[in-house]
Amino acid sequence: MRTALNSLCLSTILCCLVPRPAHALEHMAAHPVVEHEPSNVIILEKKERFEFVRGDKQNPVWVREKTATTYRCNEFRESIPVVTFYNDYSRVEEVKAWVNGDRIKVKPEHRYYSIEDIFYADARICGFMLPFKKKDTESRTEIEKITLDPRYFTSIYFQEEYFTASKEISVVVPRWMKAEVREMHFAGAGIQSAKSYDSRQDADVYTYTAQQLKPFKSESGAPGPSYLYPHLLVSSHSANSPAGQATYFGNLQNLYAWYHRLASEVENDRDAVKATAAAIVKDNITDLDKIKAIYTWMQENIRYIAFEDGIAGFKPAKAQDVLSKKYGDCKGMANLTREMLASLGFDARLCWIGTRHIAYDYSLPTLAVDNHMICAVYLDGKTWFLDATETYIGFDQYAERIQGRQVLIENGDQYHLSRIPERTFEQNRQTEKRSLRIEGARLAGSVSHRMTGECTASLLSNVHQIRKTKLDEALEQYLSRENGQYRIANMRTSDLHDWNTDLLINYELTHNDAVSAFGDELYVEMDFRKEMEDAVIDTVNRQHDFWLPYKRQLAQETVLTLPEGFQVKSLPPALLIDQPKYAFKAEYEHKNGQVIYKKEIIIRDTRILRSDFATWNADIKKLRQSYLEQISLTKK
């Protein structure tokens, strides 16, 4: 019974532990960020040894990884999952385990990473359950892996999923191997480093030791781990193999040449996609409109699936296959976008890019520098970047995650290095105008919305996630925030399939129980939505900076016509908070028998640093207090 239970637990845990990258080129670090509470199980000691060794004719250099980990159970009987990751260019050689010094049999499960049991990656996991019989049990594991190509050996993190009392990392670089080991975020981390020479192996040995390491902590809205944790960044430059000189990534040209070769090996059939491309643009006259049409069609008709397939996630799928299946990862979608544009005679290129999740840029020649692919097209001296994985964002609008990031553009045997344009909050505008009147205990009137950029993308994404029968019904549910008292009727929208123009929504509103009457006085809350009222950041438990999803401007105006025989008794005070990174504003005005309420929220910079938390929280509390204010009306 326990065996079956452990197998079930392992299956569940393996599914939870497999990293689900936002985009298909997310490269797994040596230790993915997986958080566990450290109260019961800790790592007493962990030793990792990475050694460059001679390989075979096809792959002249391998990296052998040996890991020995000793765990201790502090409180109660426990079983924990032990997992390691590998792919087509790595393999697990051996797995051993001991409990209180006694060797135990382990039969690791090997699984593909799957999504909905349909799509798979070449990323695999090997795992088993490690038992702790009782309190103070010490269990030990030894795992040996081989990475068949040193290009894929990129980073080593010090933090583990459990509190770690002692950690030692050794990197052995024979003199026939040229590799660079960079120390990242070591300041204040208490890591000791030493370099020695092993004459027997004719190798340089880099040794790092650390004590009392807190575990990885996964937090919503946190920067990627490359910003947060001490780690080693490894770049393999070249090797003197028996077959001659092997060149890896000594510089950016080497990195680009490898990317370009993989892309060039894809057997695209341009003629197979040309008919579809021609049909998409048949009603368009200008070249720019044709490019927009291809881009929008890709967004709407090719489903983005974050999976890796082939050459450890770096080689795009064939354009004709993505078109036929109607789904693809970022590489496949970028490749199909390029091929359809090229079939129409446009100068379209593949691009490699690291999203804001990654702290590095292309000054570092390593696969750890990027995690995404898009398409660029040159037209009349201007470069247009197309990321079809962003389903609902308009042409020449860019998601926060790629804005300002370096982009590596294919250019034959050479490369072109550029940057994605930076956008301000003005790209992402959201306005709401309400014209209301009081009818007993309810507010009634008309409402109009206008949205652009990532505000449009966010709304449409949420609406499509909750859609059950009709898109209009889902949109009403979203706009009412599922409040049964907020009734929407006669809704009219612009084309919900065209996000290259402003999204417009108009409807008639009845907001029940929105007016309170006490004697001769009426009280009305003018703000229904109260955006960001719950945006206070936990300063006790949160460890990392908080990154908001995107820059934005939200503006609301509500005009309330006073009922016959009533006048304003009091209006709430104005709110004016204007910080360098954000602004919160609210004001009330009594004019010509109307009360006009205006609110504006601006996010200029999405990165709220820990040093900003106290000010941010104080300002959010002021915003929340403003939301609680009511206008007071009294009979004349």
Side-chain angles (χ1 to χ4, degrees), residues 64-68 84 91-96 142-146:
R64 176 176 288 116
E65 173 186 348
K66 293 184 178 181
T67 303
T84 189
R91 64 176 183 245
V92 179
E93 295 280 276
E94 192 171 30
V95 177
K96 301 177 183 177
E142 292 183 1
I143 299 175
E144 183 173 344
K145 284 171 52 177
I146 293 289

Side-chain angles (χ1 to χ4, degrees), residues 498-557:
D498 181 7
W499 36 86
N500 291 306
T501 60
D502 292 358
L503 173 62
L504 305 178
I505 307 171
N506 297 282
Y507 54 86
E508 302 301 316
L509 167 68
T510 301
H511 191 178
N512 296 321
D513 295 332
V515 181
S516 301
F518 296 94
D520 292 339
E521 296 185 351
L522 300 178
Y523 296 89
V524 184
E525 278 190 26
M526 298 287 278
D527 201 311
F528 158 69
R529 301 198 179 279
K530 298 179 174 60
E531 290 90 349
M532 301 187 70
E533 68 172 341
D534 296 325
V536 170
I537 298 172
D538 180 357
T539 58
V540 175
N541 298 305
R542 190 172 182 91
Q543 295 181 6
H544 307 310
D545 297 341
F546 188 86
W547 287 7
L548 296 165
Y550 51 87
K551 298 183 285 288
R552 66 186 296 202
Q553 180 185 30
L554 184 152
Q556 292 176 357
E557 179 181 286

Side-chain angles (χ1 to χ4, degrees), residues 190-207:
I191 298 171
Q192 305 297 316
S193 61
K195 181 180 178 181
S196 60
Y197 174 68
D198 184 333
S199 58
R200 184 178 62 85
Q201 293 183 285
D202 189 26
D204 295 311
V205 182
Y206 301 85
T207 304

Side-chain angles (χ1 to χ4, degrees), residues 484-504:
Q485 301 300 316
Y486 197 89
R487 305 292 179 84
I488 293 174
N490 300 322
M491 186 170 64
R492 305 165 306 281
T493 71
S494 58
D495 185 355
L496 296 179
H497 300 281
D498 181 7
W499 36 86
N500 291 306
T501 60
D502 292 358
L503 173 62
L504 305 178

Side-chain angles (χ1 to χ4, degrees), residues 247-267:
T247 300
Y248 298 109
F249 297 149
N251 52 47
L252 180 55
Q253 179 60 40
N254 296 150
L255 178 66
Y256 169 75
W258 189 73
Y259 282 163
H260 181 58
R261 177 178 63 80
L262 291 180
S264 299
E265 291 174 352
V266 177
E267 297 176 351

Side-chain angles (χ1 to χ4, degrees), residues 588-599:
Y588 296 80
E589 181 183 9
H590 177 208
K591 182 179 179 181
N592 298 329
Q594 297 176 324
V595 173
I596 303 169
Y597 168 64
K598 294 181 179 180
K599 179 181 72 176

Side-chain angles (χ1 to χ4, degrees), residues 96-255:
K96 301 177 183 177
W98 292 260
V99 176
N100 286 333
D102 296 328
R103 177 81 178 268
I104 63 171
K105 280 189 175 182
V106 291
K107 188 176 181 181
E109 293 186 30
H110 293 260
R111 292 172 176 262
Y112 279 96
Y113 167 40
S114 65
I115 302 174
E116 299 175 354
D117 297 324
I118 300 175
F119 309 107
Y120 66 92
D122 64 354
R124 302 185 187 93
I125 49 178
C126 168
F128 64 95
M129 298 301 296
L130 181 66
F132 298 89
K133 295 180 178 179
K134 58 182 179 179
K135 178 181 177 180
D136 296 329
T137 293
E138 290 188 7
S139 296
R140 185 168 182 266
T141 64
E142 292 183 1
I143 299 175
E144 183 173 344
K145 284 171 52 177
I146 293 289
T147 299
L148 302 175
D149 187 328
R151 295 179 179 91
Y152 299 106
F153 175 45
T154 60
S155 51
I156 310 167
Y157 280 77
F158 285 83
Q159 258 70 18
E160 296 289 336
E161 62 268 36
Y162 300 100
F163 173 84
T164 304
S166 175
K167 176 113 177 230
E168 178 182 287
I169 296 173
S170 298
V171 182
V172 181
V173 186
R175 292 287 174 90
W176 51 260
M177 181 72 197
K178 303 301 179 185
E180 181 180 8
V181 181
R182 298 198 185 198
E183 301 171 0
M184 311 297 288
H185 302 313
F186 270 37
I191 298 171
Q192 305 297 316
S193 61
K195 181 180 178 181
S196 60
Y197 174 68
D198 184 333
S199 58
R200 184 178 62 85
Q201 293 183 285
D202 189 26
D204 295 311
V205 182
Y206 301 85
T207 304
Y208 303 88
T209 57
Q211 313 294 325
Q212 308 297 305
L213 291 169
K214 293 182 178 180
F216 279 118
K217 185 173 178 63
S218 177
E219 294 181 323
S220 175
S226 57
Y227 292 90
L228 303 174
Y229 297 107
H231 59 281
L232 301 173
L233 196 62
V234 183
S235 181
S236 298
H237 294 174
S238 63
N240 292 317
S241 72
Q245 182 83 2
T247 300
Y248 298 109
F249 297 149
N251 52 47
L252 180 55
Q253 179 60 40
N254 296 150
L255 178 66

